[in-house]
Amino acid sequence: MTSRRPLIAGNWKLHKTLAESRELARAIASHVGSGLACEVVVGPVATSLAAVKNTLAGSAVGLAAQNTHWEDSGAFTGELSPVLLLDVGCGHCIIGHSERRQLFGETDAGVRKKVAALLVHKVVPILCVGESLEQREAGQTLDVVLGQVEAATEGLDAVALGPLVIAYEPIWAIGTGRTAKAEDAQEVHGAIRARLAELKGESWADSVRILYGGSVKPSNADELLAQPDVDGALVGGASLSPDNFIPIIDAGVRRAES
Ligand code: PGA
């Protein structure tokens, strides 16, 4: 049994109106209640953060943002900051999702600044890394993924990195219905932990939760979560309905209790 508490995180991406967000949050909060053996967070669109926070009141479900800028405030039209995320009640923020890297030009350097800024404000970054299909087929998976992890944590020691969460999300598995085989996920998760141990020290590396993301669903969650270094899941499509997300939460509870 690992001492790392599993984390099941829902990434709602650009889905759900205010009313729909509240409804989904209500269903998840009523399942989780005052707490389960695994931690649960949900990541609604920015315009629903405050409403979802209200809906989650009294439950142990945490609130995550999907992105932030690294500055606290200023002339940055359209951006959010760690200060504002904290103000609205976010304990977590997804950073460096492959959609942001691919569609919105996010770079390793920007990702690093965002991770550092969130940590200063005690918002837990969920740092996403992952290789493309071409990179996997060219045998570059570990180089790419470990390079992203290194770049995002450069200059930050174990104390500064504290509660950082990493999500390994192979790009070819996101929203495609294609999941990494459990043993392939384990290979990458194990390699990330080993590299973190080299770079930042073993005891911190041992404590870091590494989530898997990419077409996680009720039918594959248990197998993925049975891997020794898979400490939870970052769930997109299947986080949008309680019928799919709640069984994944329950798989997280089983991992915690195994
Ligand atoms: P998916 O998305 O579960 O729909 O594949 C995961 C993610 O992009 O975080």
Side-chain angles (χ1 to χ4, degrees):
M1 186 171 148
T2 161
S3 56
R4 297 185 295 271
R5 187 174 179 218
L7 169 61
I8 305 296
N11 173 11
W12 296 0
K13 306 192 180 184
L14 184 47
H15 294 289
K16 308 263 174 211
T17 62
L18 210 44
E20 290 164 348
S21 298
R22 281 198 201 96
E23 191 186 331
L24 177 54
R26 203 172 297 121
I28 296 164
S30 85
H31 184 71
V32 172
S34 59
L36 297 172
C38 81
E39 188 177 1
V40 179
V41 308
V42 294
V45 294
T47 49
S48 290
L49 285 168
V52 167
K53 182 69 190 175
N54 270 331
T55 305
L56 296 175
S59 86
V61 181
L63 186 68
Q66 299 179 14
N67 184 30
T68 185
H69 190 49
W70 53 81
E71 296 287 350
D72 289 355
S73 64
F76 304 105
T77 302
E79 294 293 322
L80 298 172
S81 74
V83 172
L84 297 184
L85 297 186
L86 208 53
D87 191 35
V88 78
C90 288
H92 294 74
C93 181
I94 297 167
I95 288 297
H97 191 280
S98 60
E99 286 151 16
R100 297 225 49 92
R101 293 180 193 253
Q102 291 193 312
L103 305 173
F104 302 100
E106 200 152 291
T107 63
D108 276 340
V111 167
R112 191 208 159 278
K113 287 197 227 178
K114 292 177 179 192
V115 165
L118 287 165
L119 289 167
V120 164
H121 291 285
K122 311 242 179 307
V123 179
V124 177
I126 301 177
L127 165 67
C128 300
V129 296
E131 82 287 2
S132 67
L133 187 57
E134 300 73 56
Q135 290 165 331
R136 171 156 286 259
E137 285 173 348
Q140 297 165 347
T141 298
L142 292 183
D143 280 350
V144 169
V145 169
L146 298 180
Q148 289 172 336
V149 169
E150 252 174 66
T153 59
E154 202 188 318
L156 299 165
D157 64 13
V159 173
L161 290 167
L164 177 80
V165 172
I166 294 178
Y168 168 56
E169 300 203 305
I171 296 170
W172 47 271
I174 295 178
T176 58
R178 263 185 84 178
T179 320
K181 286 203 220 85
E183 56 275 22
D184 291 342
Q186 170 56 32
E187 185 194 353
V188 178
H189 284 228
I192 293 172
R193 197 178 307 285
R195 181 59 61 88
L196 289 175
E198 273 164 44
L199 294 171
K200 315 288 178 188
E202 202 156 324
S203 77
W204 181 73
D206 258 354
S207 73
V208 176
R209 289 176 298 176
I210 307 176
L211 317 183
Y212 170 79
S215 298
V216 176
K217 39 191 184 246
S219 59
N220 60 24
D222 279 298
E223 196 191 350
L224 288 159
L225 290 167
Q227 302 301 313
D229 289 295
V230 178
D231 304 308
L234 179 56
V235 186
S239 73
L240 297 173
S241 86
D243 288 354
N244 288 319
F245 195 55
I246 287 173
I248 298 173
I249 293 172
D250 293 341
V253 171
R254 284 192 287 279
R255 174 176 170 94
E257 289 170 348
S258 67

